[in-house]
Amino acid sequence: MVQTSSLFFPSISFRIIRSSLPPHQQVFRFPPKANKVDIASLLTGLYGLRITDIRTMNYNGRSHYETKAGATRRTKAAAYKKVIVTTKDDFEFPPPVSAARNGAIGVPPRISKNAPSIKFRHLLPEPDAADPSLDAKAGLSSTVQQKPLE
């Protein structure tokens, strides 16, 4: 019988936190039920990190009071586990979101009233490049000529 390796994807959601630690250390937030063995195997399997050390700290969720319709009740945020992982290699964060977008997800443009009545926007026909009305809508001047790609 041939033995094959299989991947196991546990139902653990975690997030990476930016910090001022050296580049070979990363900070994650895991649920409190995750242990060091699970964390190491998950990060090694998903990201290929060569882990040398894992430090964990448990935090209780913060509680606050909420008043609604004259009644006050105490609510509590979920507890979490802060994990500091030391690796052999430096970790590269994804690039930051551009300042022009302010971190907001762009909303697709509205369909004009005289557009064809198609239920889904991705099924709309492609606009013609020769149509000068599209340049006027986009704020482009028709006198500006683009250089061809070489």
Side-chain angles (χ1 to χ4, degrees):
M1 183 168 142
V2 177
Q3 183 117 10
T4 60
S5 62
S6 60
L7 290 174
F8 173 69
F9 293 101
S11 61
I12 296 176
S13 63
F14 63 94
R15 69 175 99 164
I16 186 167
I17 310 294
R18 289 191 182 266
S19 68
S20 60
L21 292 175
H24 67 280
Q25 291 182 336
Q26 298 85 37
V27 179
F28 296 92
R29 274 194 182 180
F30 275 85
K33 67 180 181 179
N35 58 27
K36 289 183 181 184
V37 175
D38 292 339
I39 294 168
S41 65
L42 182 69
L43 294 176
T44 303
L46 288 178
Y47 299 112
L49 298 176
R50 297 186 313 169
I51 297 172
T52 58
D53 184 38
I54 295 180
R55 292 180 286 158
T56 60
M57 293 143 278
N58 290 311
Y59 290 91
N60 291 328
R62 294 185 181 203
S63 61
H64 60 278
Y65 293 94
E66 188 176 278
T67 303
K68 188 174 183 180
T72 303
R73 68 178 187 173
R74 183 177 173 189
T75 59
K76 187 174 179 183
Y80 63 93
K81 181 178 281 192
K82 181 178 176 182
V83 179
I84 299 177
V85 177
T86 306
T87 59
K88 291 183 180 179
D89 304 322
D90 289 348
F91 184 78
E92 294 291 327
F93 282 95
V97 178
S98 68
R101 288 180 50 200
N102 268 345
I105 298 172
V107 178
R110 293 183 182 256
I111 298 176
S112 62
K113 291 182 179 179
N114 53 358
S117 60
I118 298 176
K119 187 173 182 179
F120 301 104
R121 293 181 184 181
H122 67 278
L123 298 176
L124 287 175
E126 292 292 323
D128 292 335
D131 188 9
S133 65
L134 293 177
D135 292 339
K137 289 178 185 174
L140 299 174
S141 172
S142 60
T143 60
V144 177
Q145 296 181 1
Q146 294 180 349
K147 294 180 181 178
L149 295 175
E150 296 177 6

